[in-house]
Amino acid sequence: MKVNKKTLLLIACIVWGIAGFNILRIGISSYENYISLINLSCSIIVFSIFQYFIFGKLVKKHTRRIASYTETKQFFLHFFDIKSFFIMAFMMTGGIWLRSSGIAPERFIAVFYSGLGASLFLAGILFGKNYLQYDSLL
């Protein structure tokens, strides 16, 4: 199924927004017994690292790639490139394994997942912003 290339940004917004919301929800639901200034600070550090070094750059990279397509209509999965799909699959598999294996303590899940989820959710919001401002991006 082919969609307008601008719609790819909306698809990315939805995918990243849902993923980020779910991970953030897991993190926050684990936080109940671990609320402290140090843990909240660590979550903010995790958020900042992921936002600055990974997801902020990812949003810019994929927005530029989508805008540079010469054909107006693109296959709906082209909101990502192949490398990004593999990275996403690796992260999902690793996250599921980490939680289900019991290796990571609940405090780690609370702190790390809250920071990671917030960063992913913000990436979804930024894709949505780029969707809404698409015509001015060109």
Side-chain angles (χ1 to χ4, degrees):
M1 183 169 113
K2 289 191 173 191
V3 298
N4 186 299
K5 62 183 181 175
K6 177 182 175 181
T7 305
L8 295 176
L9 294 171
L10 181 60
I11 294 170
C13 166
I14 293 166
V15 169
W16 284 101
I18 290 171
F21 178 81
N22 283 327
I23 294 170
L24 181 59
R25 181 184 51 78
I26 292 167
I28 289 172
S29 68
S30 300
Y31 236 116
E32 184 178 358
N33 298 321
Y34 306 105
I35 296 174
S36 71
L37 188 57
I38 187 105
N39 287 341
L40 292 171
S41 297
C42 288
S43 289
I44 291 169
I45 290 169
V46 169
F47 167 82
S48 300
I49 289 169
F50 274 96
Q51 194 56 43
Y52 182 77
F53 291 107
I54 299 171
F55 300 125
K57 291 179 180 184
L58 179 138
V59 170
K60 290 174 187 171
K61 171 188 163 190
H62 288 292
T63 299
R64 278 193 307 270
R65 181 183 50 77
I66 289 167
S68 73
Y69 285 143
T70 54
E71 294 182 27
T72 305
K73 298 278 187 177
Q74 293 292 322
F75 184 61
F76 77 99
L77 290 178
H78 283 175
F79 70 93
F80 263 3
D81 56 14
I82 295 293
K83 178 183 170 186
S84 294
F85 276 111
F86 281 116
I87 290 169
M88 180 187 269
F90 175 77
M91 287 178 62
M92 288 173 61
T93 303
I96 292 166
W97 174 80
L98 194 62
R99 284 186 43 235
S100 64
S101 70
I103 289 176
E106 191 174 20
R107 175 177 283 159
F108 174 82
I109 299 296
V111 170
F112 187 76
Y113 274 48
S114 294
L116 174 64
S119 185
L120 279 167
F121 189 70
L122 179 57
I125 291 170
L126 293 173
F127 274 120
K129 175 183 166 268
N130 290 345
Y131 168 77
L132 294 172
Q133 297 176 342
Y134 181 76
D135 294 329
S136 65
L137 296 173
L138 300 178

